[in-house]
Amino acid sequence: MKITLLIGHKTRKGPVFIGQSADGRFYPMWRDDSLGSYHSLVGAVEDVAGGYTFSPSDGCDLGSLGISSEVSDWVPAKELM
């Protein structure tokens, strides 16, 4: 499945992204890990910010990184690549 990265948020440990697949689902992405599948962009952003996604394979606690739960605080993904 191809996921197109839409938005990202810079953290002290690197960027976290939200991508979208062709079927319209949204996917939080940490490094090369997909951390779940969401029906809404807002739901994906809120869960990433709160650390409520699947756990990244590197064990990072996303909830401790100060990620904003406001979509407007995120930037286009290409700005972080």
Side-chain angles (χ1 to χ4, degrees), residues 32-52:
D32 290 327
D33 288 341
S34 172
L35 305 178
S37 174
Y38 294 79
H39 71 279
S40 77
L41 179 63
V42 171
V45 166
E46 288 176 348
D47 276 10
V48 167
Y52 305 121

Side-chain angles (χ1 to χ4, degrees), residues 30 33-36 51-62:
W30 176 253
D33 288 341
S34 172
L35 305 178
Y52 305 121
T53 63
F54 289 122
S55 295
S57 61
D58 66 0
C60 182
D61 175 10
L62 297 179

Side-chain angles (χ1 to χ4, degrees), residues 10-16 30-31 58-61 64-65:
K10 185 178 178 181
T11 77
R12 66 183 182 276
K13 291 191 174 189
V16 61
W30 176 253
R31 302 196 172 137
D58 66 0
C60 182
D61 175 10
S64 70
L65 297 180

